[in-house]
Amino acid sequence: MKLLLTFSRKGRSDPGREPVIARVVKETGVLINVEKANIDSMAGEVLVDVPDADADLVRRRLEEAGVTVRVMENAIARDEAECVDCGACISVCPQEVFSFDEEWRIRVSSERCVLCGKCIQACPHGALSQQG
Amino acid sequence: MEKSLDLINARIRDGTARVVTAEEMPGIVDELGEEGALAEVDVVTTGTFGAMCSSGAFFNFGHADPPIRMERVWLNDVEAYAGIAAVDAYLGATQEAESKDRPYGGAHVLEELVAGGTVELRATSHGTDCYPRRSITTQLLLEDMNQAIMVNPRNSYQRYNAASNTTDRTLNTYMGTLLPRCGNVSYSGAGTLSPLANDPGFRVIGGGVPIFLAGGEGMIVGEGTQHSAGGGFGTLMVAGDMKGMRQEFLRAAVMNGYGVTMYVGVGVPIPVLDTGIVRSTAVRDEDILTDVIDYGTPRRDRPSLAKVSYADLRSGSVEIGGETVRTSSLSSYRRARAVATELKDWIERGKMELALPTRRIDMTKRARPMRETAVTPRVRDIMNRQVISITEDEEIRVAAKRLLKDETNHLPVLDENGTLVGIITTYDVSKAVVTDGKLRQVKDIMTRKVIKTTPDEPVDVAARKLEQNNISALPVVDATNRVVGILSAIDLGKLFGGRRRQ
């Protein structure tokens, strides 16, 4: 399951100044896969992948540490009214989220998405957007 | 055996015509043979649904009171061509809105109208004795127009080059997003369903033939602009009444970094008159070949990276230089199939009868490049031939002195054979000085990936390199990578000072 973590780094005691992810890995033994991280002097946003069974535990621990956690169930949303099933999204996606089904309809394997945003830009019909 | 069009139309009228899509035809020919297929099938329907930039519509808005002779016309802030009579205008699909806060263009206006939405018409005039009014603003629906006739100068390409990109940066093109270092291939066209691929000899596709156009009934006017059937790139000019069209088959689109375009659904019904037509409609994706072109070359004639078939392209990946590269389609096969299927339904229900061309399209014609009467300036015309350079083993101090003495900011770095291996700038030298001073030689600080140009390159292309890479000079190299000049941003000024090649 993908979790999107956001945290502040402004104050000395903010979670972003602490090795929160490493601490949760050490305490829980859950292997957390960091898929994307964007951290600057003021704030951070990290996308992690964790086994479904451990997601609640990891989420609870991170929240206790002051991190805002959002479960990314449908990271990328496809507007069926706008999509014409062309396939422009397929080859620009580094994660192979998109493919054709037998009927040449676009199939979205949203769980693979790492929110890079390439497909959103590449879609000629503005049919793709990032959740929430 | 041969079959007449009259017989086919009689069967359409009494509901007994056998109509199949171009996708079904190869299998039928395999099973029944050519003669068998000719006896069995009366009509093959084709279809395509993709980006067709060369599209637009003529409108007649009716006269206002007092009347106005519209000189400039905008529909939802998108300018239409009004140089035709008082209340006529042509709106092109790729024309973009004046206020550019979001990508919005002619295609969006056309889609809005077909979807039943209201569009704001604004027009201005200088006023005449017979048309005194100087401006007008009004809200219009499609049904309010006397005519809304879509006339698309170039639709339904026979096939289209696929696109890839060998450069190091992502390109935003009319062929979509092209990832660096051949990271993907993008293509367009419906392959086996493509109208012109099913009649490459233009035997039954020509002027006057009824077609499916964006969900309504239309017709082929004749050859399209840039028609080049001699090279396998035939095109069609088509027309149809917008009032019969549907949003499902007419969609505005935006190619990121390129601009507005319009997706149009076109389907042509093909009467199966003889075995020649049976053969041409039995075409498969495997039979339709195209080139993968390097869009990284910003020139008219771009090199081909690979020859592939539509079967290869539609398989999801192709081979380029031994590497497997994923493909993306820009046109929708699913919707092309919907076009062919709906057209089939029309004919089965007797809604559309077929006609032979009243005007034939030339299958040998080739489009020519533009005749340019002014010489396009090349890098060699304005480059500086006095190149101050340095070798990679020199001390940084030497480089600094040379930069100072020759009042230049760029030193191409050469190896012992005189070929280009790097470049250093005054910035690199300054940086080396203020850091710890451990870096001693030119090769420690030089940029090894040099952005360069050639004497033959058009100045416009070189100027774009400077701009995109935020740099101020380009070494000019010959075919063996030896430096023959340097082009700086300052040299570009020569173009305006009359020092052009005579």
Side-chain angles (χ1 to χ4, degrees), chain B residues 205-228:
Chain B
I205 294 183
V209 165
I211 60 167
F212 173 108
L213 180 60
E217 287 182 49
M219 63 173 282
I220 296 171
V221 176
E223 70 176 35
T225 56
Q226 229 163 283
H227 171 74
S228 198

Side-chain angles (χ1 to χ4, degrees), chain B residues 250-281:
Chain B
L250 186 156
R251 299 299 284 272
V254 177
M255 292 299 171
N256 182 36
Y258 177 76
V260 174
T261 184
M262 189 160 77
Y263 276 54
V264 182
V266 180
V268 181
I270 296 179
V272 183
L273 303 173
D274 53 38
T275 49
I277 306 253
V278 168
R279 220 169 295 135
S280 68
T281 51

Side-chain angles (χ1 to χ4, degrees), chain B residues 5 122 152 167 363:
Chain B
L5 189 78
R122 184 162 57 88
N152 300 343
T167 71
M363 63 169 288

Side-chain angles (χ1 to χ4, degrees), chain B residues 45-46 211-212 267-269 338-347 352:
Chain B
T45 61
T46 61
I211 60 167
F212 173 108
V268 181
V339 169
T341 306
E342 183 160 333
L343 182 55
K344 172 179 162 172
D345 180 61
W346 286 4
I347 296 165
M352 180 185 268

Side-chain angles (χ1 to χ4, degrees), chain B residues 470-485:
Chain B
N470 196 21
I471 53 176
S472 54
L474 297 168
V476 186
V477 296
D478 65 11
T480 61
N481 208 26
R482 296 169 74 89
V483 179
V484 295

Side-chain angles (χ1 to χ4, degrees), chain B residues 18 32 39 46 60 89 98 108 189 215 255 283 378 449 466:
Chain B
R18 174 78 201 275
L32 306 177
T46 61
N60 178 278
E98 308 252 310
H108 295 89
M255 292 299 171
V283 69
R378 307 281 162 161
K449 227 172 100 186
L466 290 173

Side-chain angles (χ1 to χ4, degrees), chain B residues 73-273:
Chain B
V73 167
W74 295 263
L75 290 160
N76 278 359
D77 203 34
V78 181
E79 187 158 19
Y81 178 73
I84 36 172
V87 290
D88 284 350
Y90 181 81
L91 179 68
T94 66
Q95 182 75 40
E96 295 192 17
E98 308 252 310
S99 59
K100 290 246 187 154
D101 48 341
R102 68 196 163 119
Y104 187 89
H108 295 89
V109 177
L110 296 171
E111 182 182 336
E112 185 74 51
L113 285 168
V114 164
T118 307
V119 162
E120 184 185 81
L121 165 72
R122 184 162 57 88
T124 58
S125 171
H126 70 275
T128 69
D129 287 344
C130 47
Y131 293 106
R133 195 163 186 157
R134 286 164 177 258
S135 71
I136 193 164
T137 302
T138 185
Q139 307 290 325
L140 295 176
L141 293 167
L142 187 57
E143 64 196 58
D144 298 326
M145 319 255 190
N146 286 319
Q147 280 79 27
I149 305 169
M150 180 164 285
V151 178
N152 300 343
R154 175 164 75 254
N155 276 184
S156 192
Y157 256 106
Q158 195 165 353
R159 64 187 165 101
Y160 209 80
N161 285 325
S164 195
N165 164 26
T166 59
T167 71
D168 289 337
R169 63 182 192 92
T170 297
L171 298 179
N172 296 310
T173 72
Y174 67 85
M175 287 298 286
T177 306
L178 301 177
L179 302 175
R181 293 173 292 279
C182 289
N184 66 342
V185 165
S186 121
Y187 70 97
S188 189
T192 179
L193 276 171
S194 159
L196 294 186
N198 280 274
D199 183 22
F202 293 88
R203 290 192 51 215
V204 291
I205 294 183
V209 165
I211 60 167
F212 173 108
L213 180 60
E217 287 182 49
M219 63 173 282
I220 296 171
V221 176
E223 70 176 35
T225 56
Q226 229 163 283
H227 171 74
S228 198
F233 291 92
T235 71
L236 297 176
M237 184 181 287
V238 298
D241 185 351
M242 275 183 71
K243 293 185 186 187
M245 294 180 182
R246 301 200 323 264
Q247 197 181 11
E248 184 186 355
F249 297 108
L250 186 156
R251 299 299 284 272
V254 177
M255 292 299 171
N256 182 36
Y258 177 76
V260 174
T261 184
M262 189 160 77
Y263 276 54
V264 182
V266 180
V268 181
I270 296 179
V272 183
L273 303 173

